[in-house]
Amino acid sequence: MTLEAQFERTLAKDQRIEPRDWMPDAYRATLIRMIAQHAHSEIIGMQPEGNWITRAPSLRRKAILLAKVQDEAGHGLYLYSAAETLGADRTELTEKLISGRQKYSSIFNYPTLTFADVGVIGWLVDGAAICNQVPLCRSSYGPYARAMIRICKEESFHQRQGYELLMTMMRGTEEQRRMVQDATDRWWWPSLMMFGPPDAESPHTAQSMAWKIKRHTNDELRQKFVDMTVPQAEALGVTLPDPQLRWNPDRGHYDFGEIDWSEFKRVLAGQGPCNAQRLARRRAAQDNGAWVREAAAAHAEKQANRRAA
């Protein structure tokens, strides 16, 4: 049996491909692109909520936000480690990010204007992430699938934290309720864009599904998210900003309006409200942390020399 035939047989049996297994170059490249984008999104995604750590309205809210941002840093590390099992270099991936040669999720290029945004990110953004990422726990590549199990558990907790914050605000003052509605209005459509372009325009979906890296198409996941979120919005008492949103009994799903894909492409191209700021801060963090990396490398070399002696 050829190596390619063995690879195909493993996929057909719904088993995992592991780092030492043979895999096509295109499969490896697709995984590196996908995992790197995911890792970059976790690291860049620390910034919008980190914006509110020093301004959280209570010590409890500050502790919750600190813990969540810390979790996101951990998710990035899990994913960079998974990419390294494919032969990717973490430093090179970071350089590609800050130079604009690799992308991260478009959602993180929008500003967090009020503390209600923190709750809506937890509810909508993390909710969309859960829809997208839970199927990745069954991805055909072992290290990626295993990393996603813990990530999804923590994202689920983040989603509940965000929803709890919004429920608290909706029981508060009229001004707080307006803040929640305003944040919902601003984050709804970007959240729908998180799943990527429509299937007809997605260049990678068909092959990723054939390789069982992905298990559902972009449009399938987007529909699932809408169906899940509408009842939550009703329970919360907010209105989703889509006049075309309604239940379709024939389809058994909610119909929703057309997404502004021109905005999606504009933000991905680097022209979103916070693109330049996000990358500038990531670049500054990389530069400011150089001495730590150099000290760690020097210490590791010194320890290795001692063991060798």
Side-chain angles (χ1 to χ4, degrees):
M1 182 182 294
T2 65
L3 291 173
E4 185 171 2
Q6 188 172 347
F7 171 81
E8 295 292 346
R9 182 182 179 184
T10 300
L11 294 182
K13 294 172 69 176
D14 222 11
Q15 294 177 342
R16 297 273 171 78
I17 304 297
E18 298 296 343
R20 294 185 180 180
D21 295 339
W22 182 90
M23 64 188 76
D25 290 341
Y27 177 84
R28 185 186 303 273
T30 295
L31 279 166
I32 291 175
R33 174 190 57 79
M34 188 172 174
I35 296 173
Q37 179 174 315
H38 193 167
H40 297 332
S41 299
E42 295 286 354
I43 298 301
I44 294 291
M46 298 164 65
Q47 292 188 36
E49 291 170 300
N51 178 46
W52 282 92
I53 288 175
T54 60
R55 297 181 289 163
S58 68
L59 182 60
R60 176 174 177 268
R61 294 297 177 190
K62 186 187 294 287
I64 291 172
L65 194 51
L66 277 167
K68 182 182 179 186
V69 171
Q70 178 177 283
D71 284 348
E72 290 165 350
H75 297 171
L77 294 178
Y78 302 152
L79 293 164
Y80 283 131
S81 295
E84 287 177 327
T85 68
L86 292 158
D89 180 79
R90 189 178 307 197
T91 300
E92 183 179 346
L93 294 179
T94 300
E95 289 299 324
K96 287 181 177 179
L97 167 65
I98 61 181
S99 66
R101 287 178 290 157
Q102 283 186 339
K103 303 297 184 183
Y104 56 91
S105 179
S106 61
I107 193 75
F108 299 118
N109 289 308
Y110 293 88
T112 45
L113 304 181
T114 71
F115 197 71
D117 289 43
V118 172
V120 170
I121 288 175
W123 172 38
L124 294 181
V125 177
D126 292 334
I130 291 166
C131 281
N132 194 37
Q133 294 171 13
V134 165
L136 294 176
C137 295
R138 298 187 293 116
S139 173
S140 61
Y141 186 60
Y144 191 25
R146 288 188 288 273
M148 291 312 305
I149 293 172
R150 177 167 179 173
I151 290 173
C152 287
K153 288 180 179 178
E154 293 179 351
E155 292 289 5
S156 179
F157 191 63
H158 298 164
Q159 199 264 356
R160 292 195 295 272
Q161 286 177 327
Y163 197 75
E164 183 272 336
L165 169 58
L166 297 180
M167 289 292 286
T168 300
M169 294 186 71
M170 290 298 288
R171 291 193 294 265
T173 65
E174 182 59 33
E175 182 180 3
Q176 287 174 318
R177 288 189 286 273
R178 284 198 300 268
M179 288 169 60
V180 173
Q181 183 62 62
D182 174 68
T184 301
D185 291 344
R186 287 183 286 106
W187 288 93
W188 173 248
W189 291 108
S191 296
L192 294 186
M193 296 177 196
M194 281 182 66
F195 297 95
D199 293 343
E201 299 178 17
S202 177
H204 305 294
T205 294
Q207 184 60 74
S208 293
M209 291 187 65
W211 280 329
K212 299 187 178 181
I213 297 173
K214 291 182 65 171
R215 298 287 180 156
H216 303 283
T217 71
N218 296 349
D219 288 339
E220 288 172 349
L221 293 169
R222 195 169 3 254
Q223 182 68 69
K224 181 179 180 181
F225 172 68
V226 172
D227 292 346
M228 176 186 78
T229 305
V230 171
Q232 294 173 356
E234 293 172 352
L236 190 60
V238 299
T239 302
L240 296 174
D242 182 357
Q244 298 181 49
L245 187 64
R246 60 180 56 84
W247 178 254
N248 185 327
D250 296 328
R251 293 199 310 121
H253 296 285
Y254 283 94
D255 291 335
F256 54 96
E258 182 64 27
I259 296 170
D260 183 358
W261 292 114
S262 63
E263 178 184 349
F264 174 74
K265 294 174 182 176
R266 186 168 60 250
V267 174
L268 274 188
Q271 300 170 22
C274 298
N275 287 71
Q277 180 189 87
R278 300 289 187 244
L279 287 182
R281 288 182 175 175
R282 182 66 190 92
R283 187 178 297 110
Q286 181 72 0
D287 293 343
N288 293 337
W291 69 272
V292 178
R293 296 190 298 275
E294 292 167 2
H299 176 73
E301 182 179 359
K302 185 176 180 180
Q303 292 297 101
N305 290 338
R306 281 182 178 175
R307 287 192 296 269

